[in-house]
Amino acid sequence: MIPDIADASRVPAADGTLRILRYLAGRPAPVAASAIARELDLPRSTVYHLLATLSAHGFVVHLREERRWGLGTSAFELASGYARQQPLARLGRPLIAALSDRIGESAHLAVMSGGDVLYIVEERAPRRPALVTEVGVRLPAHLTASGRAMLAALPREQVRALYPSASAFPDRTGRGPRTPGELRELLREVRARGFAVEDSEVADGLRSVGAPVRDHSGWPVAAVALTWAGDEVQERSLADAVKETAALLESRLMR
């Protein structure tokens, strides 16, 4: 028997856990446990106990040097699942198709899933090279234009949680960042440029540009990307088209 929603507060641990997750989700950066206890009016011992349990399951991460707590990769998985079940793919599909038709190159819509990107919409342009991306495929986020676009829009603490050491950097073609420091520099370049690029880091001879799709709070819920075979001559014009499509999808998500 499913309990009445009104009885939810009778399960203090569940209630406290959900309140902590909601609180962290609304903060622009990780916070101290003492602040969580104060803002939620919970005993400190209870907060530490719940944070330890959430950390064990990957829903929060403890930044020991800063003595602060932020959302972990399991929270990312929940967010990605929500995005996949909501109208994101349905709203994005006609926009991705229109982008591919207009530009004549293959276009994609992807979401973050832990340290990967998961492709939820794929539009293949005719007479173009075969791609490794298709709906349901996962690729390392740090190697793809889609992933880099979303990582650059995330709080730096979240990126550190996803990429704590060199072991978190799988390789495909021998190119791309291999350490947290190299990734930080790459993401600085993405922010300065205004869009993400990828050159033969997923598949030899293929380039991509990507731009994030943000929700009402500025969180990157997805990314739009184009992939083509060739040099960087087209990069700026393709990036402008991708950014335009991402902005259009953002506006439709907020209606």
Side-chain angles (χ1 to χ4, degrees):
M1 179 179 178
I2 299 176
D4 190 276
I5 293 177
D7 294 333
S9 61
R10 297 179 186 176
V11 187
D15 182 67
T17 298
L18 294 174
R19 290 175 64 199
I20 288 174
L21 287 174
R22 176 171 288 182
Y23 176 78
L24 290 176
R27 306 278 75 76
V31 297
S34 58
I36 298 173
R38 181 176 63 254
E39 293 295 326
L40 299 182
D41 194 23
L42 291 171
R44 283 198 183 191
S45 59
T46 298
V47 168
Y48 280 112
H49 176 74
L50 294 178
L51 286 172
T53 301
L54 286 166
S55 178
H57 290 279
F59 284 95
V60 301
V61 60
H62 186 205
L63 304 175
R64 296 183 183 279
E65 294 180 0
E66 302 176 25
R67 298 182 181 180
R68 292 175 182 271
W69 297 81
L71 292 177
T73 56
S74 292
F76 242 147
E77 293 283 357
L78 285 181
S80 296
Y82 173 80
R84 292 192 297 273
Q85 293 175 24
Q86 286 300 301
L88 182 57
R90 294 196 297 276
L91 289 174
R93 190 169 291 110
L95 300 181
I96 296 299
L99 174 63
S100 180
D101 289 345
R102 177 160 56 95
I103 302 299
E105 302 290 354
S106 297
H108 341 273
L109 182 67
V111 297
M112 287 289 294
S113 181
D116 294 335
V117 291
L118 175 65
Y119 292 89
I120 62 172
V121 176
E122 176 88 3
E123 191 69 29
R124 299 287 180 91
R127 297 178 295 280
R128 288 296 185 268
L131 305 179
V132 297
T133 57
E134 61 182 47
V135 173
V137 165
R138 292 172 180 262
L139 289 173
H142 68 286
L143 295 179
T144 69
S146 297
R148 292 170 179 179
M150 289 184 278
L151 289 172
L154 285 175
R156 289 166 175 77
E157 295 84 359
Q158 298 299 331
V159 176
R160 285 167 51 192
L162 288 169
Y163 297 92
S165 66
S167 63
F169 292 83
D171 172 67
R172 286 182 62 90
T173 66
R175 302 177 179 91
R178 298 188 180 186
T179 66
E182 290 179 0
L183 180 62
R184 283 195 299 272
E185 179 59 31
L186 185 151
L187 297 181
R188 276 195 289 268
E189 294 173 2
V190 172
R191 296 183 195 103
R193 190 188 304 113
F195 59 90
V197 300
E198 176 264 317
D199 182 7
S200 297
E201 287 149 300
V202 173
D204 287 324
L206 295 180
R207 301 175 61 89
S208 297
V209 291
V213 177
R214 295 177 172 87
D215 65 12
H216 65 280
S217 68
W219 191 267
V221 295
V224 174
L226 279 167
T227 298
W228 76 100
D231 57 32
E232 61 181 316
V233 173
Q234 306 176 68
E235 187 177 283
R236 173 58 68 174
S237 61
L238 294 184
D240 288 343
V242 163
K243 291 167 66 176
E244 179 183 332
T245 298
L248 184 55
L249 180 52
E250 282 183 3
S251 68
R252 295 191 179 187
L253 286 172
M254 295 182 190
R255 288 178 182 171

